[in-house]
Amino acid sequence: MKKKFSIGVIPGDGVGPEVTAEGVRALKTIAEVDGSVDFDFTYYPWGCDYYLKNGIMMDEDGLKKLAVHDAILLGAVGDPRVPDHISLWNLLLKIRKGFDQYINLRPVKLLKGAPCPLTQTDRSQIDMIFVRENSEGEYSGKGRWTGKNTDGEMAVQEDIFTRKGCERVMRYAYMLAREKGKSLTSVTKSNAINYSMVFWDKIFNELKKEFPQVETHSCLVDAAAMYMIKEPERFQVVVTSNLFGDILTDLGAAIAGGMGLAAGANINPEKKYPSMFEPIHGSAPDIAGKNIADPLATIWAVSQMLEHLGLRDWARLLIDIIEEVLYEKQAITPDLGGTAKTSETGERVAEKIRMKFAGGKENALG
Ligand code: IPM
Ligand code: MN
């Protein structure tokens, strides 16, 4: 029987529409060659243009509309004409929080053929997966701003770490490390952040008892930034707070091929709500509309989506295809030193999906 998945697509701003088109192309090609799966797509025109026209980033009942889908593909949010804290809190962060997507899974894996500025490093040593807390912490959105425009003006931003919030993201990371037979590193800053991060460390240590098989490490975030460059092999599965995960995964992108390859999955593990998959490069307004943005990050995010939907073989195959495209260098975009258009990279990926499949599903999926 055919498995049919309903996908909500929010192309969003800047290069978002160009790259999501290629993610959708990959999914459509999979459906075309594999008779056992199908996807239908519902597009939502939300984003900064929508805001400038209607005064809202997404419809009031937007979450209700999205809730019916099996997964969401998001392009990018952000436009110089709209303050970032408005556009992001009313669309991207609203969905992450509204759908309790408390896991942000970000691979930092250097595929063959991807550029890497670390010339002294054995390429195979860059193979990490970040589990970023995605619902609270430094992104609680709580605080106050008092005495505006006086000498006593003050802004207080509250980092909120709950036991439930810490335990659930850490358990997820421990289980992932156990399943993959990898070590787990917790990254904090408990030498200086004396309540929340000490609390985080305490919970991380408590949970060790539940996972005696998992080798664990703790690392301060400043040192982690240094070691990711100098000794990246130290890191396998990494669990960290919302803000630290945000920062370290950009650093991770820099050593694993660049932002054009960096993907992220916002996951609600209980599947009570749909999860959302996105490239993490943002809207890149300077190159928007030129058909030169790299769609591979989005296609990698689509692979994460396939994994989440239970189509593991396709998820793996898509990563192999991304690696081949990088390695053969015929259809790569300018960020990777090539001259291909966004759509040409996407077309090459589609071609490879068809080619792999020409020998039958068993061959393709090995
Ligand atoms: C990301 C982005 C977002 C974040 C911004 C745009 C709010 O940088 O997905 O990494 O900080 O989470
Ligand atoms: Mn970021």
Side-chain angles (χ1 to χ4, degrees):
M1 222 193 49
K2 214 180 242 243
K3 273 187 254 155
K4 193 161 178 140
F5 299 98
S6 156
I7 313 296
V9 185
I10 309 172
D13 304 318
V15 298
E18 296 157 72
V19 294
T20 41
E22 303 312 321
V24 168
R25 191 205 297 261
L27 287 168
K28 284 190 171 161
T29 311
I30 289 173
E32 174 195 308
V33 299
D34 180 347
S36 72
V37 290
D38 202 2
F39 305 97
D40 70 45
F41 301 94
T42 307
Y43 283 82
Y44 298 92
W46 302 331
C48 290
D49 279 336
Y50 195 78
Y51 176 82
L52 291 168
K53 246 181 261 151
N54 306 298
I56 43 174
M57 286 296 295
M58 70 192 291
D59 294 346
E60 304 293 353
D61 62 348
L63 290 180
K64 217 171 121 200
K65 287 185 171 132
L66 290 173
V68 305
H69 300 295
D70 296 305
I72 302 162
L73 180 65
L74 174 80
V77 185
D79 183 301
R81 296 168 299 168
V82 180
D84 281 341
H85 65 276
I86 294 188
S87 58
L88 291 156
W89 273 96
N90 291 291
L91 187 53
L92 175 66
L93 297 177
K94 189 168 170 181
I95 299 171
R96 284 183 185 166
K97 284 171 192 288
F99 284 162
D100 206 16
Q101 294 165 344
Y102 60 87
I103 300 296
N104 193 183
L105 211 52
R106 295 186 166 187
V108 175
K109 181 176 168 63
L110 184 62
L111 298 183
K112 286 194 208 86
C116 176
L118 307 181
T119 49
Q120 311 292 315
T121 304
D122 174 357
R123 302 175 60 87
S124 66
Q125 294 185 331
I126 301 178
D127 187 1
M128 324 170 191
I129 176 103
F130 272 75
V131 182
R132 167 188 176 191
E133 203 295 317
N134 210 30
S135 65
E136 54 172 37
E138 306 88 342
Y139 283 47
S140 72
K142 302 272 188 314
R144 59 191 184 278
W145 192 327
T146 56
K148 279 208 178 165
N149 305 318
T150 68
D151 286 348
E153 187 163 10
M154 180 174 78
V156 177
Q157 185 84 40
E158 290 172 341
D159 297 358
I160 297 180
F161 288 76
T162 62
R163 175 166 280 278
K164 176 180 161 208
C166 294
E167 281 190 6
R168 65 185 185 175
V169 69
M170 289 178 199
R171 273 214 176 84
Y172 186 94
Y174 268 109
M175 287 192 293
L176 189 67
R178 184 173 63 189
E179 179 195 317
K180 292 187 177 293
K182 302 218 163 176
S183 70
L184 174 63
T185 302
S186 156
V187 174
T188 61
K189 183 68 188 169
S190 44
N191 55 351
I193 315 276
N194 54 340
Y195 290 101
S196 55
M197 296 271 164
V198 174
F199 178 60
W200 174 289
D201 283 359
K202 174 176 175 254
I203 297 175
F204 185 71
N205 288 328
E206 280 173 18
L207 289 181
K208 275 183 197 172
K209 286 185 223 85
E210 287 177 34
F211 302 90
Q213 317 83 342
V214 178
E215 175 190 326
T216 57
H217 304 276
S218 289
C219 192
L220 296 171
V221 66
D222 46 351
M226 187 235 344
Y227 283 129
M228 278 177 71
I229 302 287
K230 295 202 60 106
E231 295 172 30
E233 68 278 11
R234 277 177 180 254
F235 302 101
Q236 296 183 351
V237 180
V238 180
V239 64
T240 190
S241 70
N242 211 329
L243 179 64
F244 293 172
D246 176 46
I247 298 168
L248 291 179
T249 52
D250 267 30
L251 175 60
I255 61 170
M259 290 309 276
L261 290 177
N266 304 279
I267 295 181
N268 173 250
E270 292 75 25
K271 301 200 175 176
K272 180 167 174 206
Y273 304 102
S275 294
M276 176 168 68
F277 302 83
E278 52 168 345
I280 70 173
H281 50 54
S283 58
D286 50 322
I287 58 163
K290 297 188 176 156
N291 195 18
I292 56 168
D294 195 336
L296 291 176
T298 306
I299 293 168
W300 196 324
V302 163
S303 161
Q304 292 185 293
M305 178 192 285
L306 292 166
E307 170 107 30
H308 182 75
L309 295 175
L311 304 170
R312 288 195 151 192
D313 292 339
W314 275 117
R316 231 174 294 129
L317 190 73
L318 212 46
I319 299 292
D320 290 349
I321 288 176
I322 293 172
E323 190 158 44
E324 280 176 29
V325 169
L326 289 168
Y327 196 69
E328 68 184 18
K329 295 198 168 21
Q330 281 166 29
I332 51 174
T333 42
D335 57 303
L336 298 171
T339 55
K341 300 288 184 199
T342 308
S343 47
E344 289 168 345
T345 302
E347 183 46 50
R348 186 75 188 133
V349 169
E351 232 171 72
K352 283 182 174 290
I353 293 172
R354 290 192 194 100
M355 266 156 43
K356 298 254 182 209
F357 218 78
K361 185 172 176 185
E362 288 69 30
N363 274 354
L365 304 177

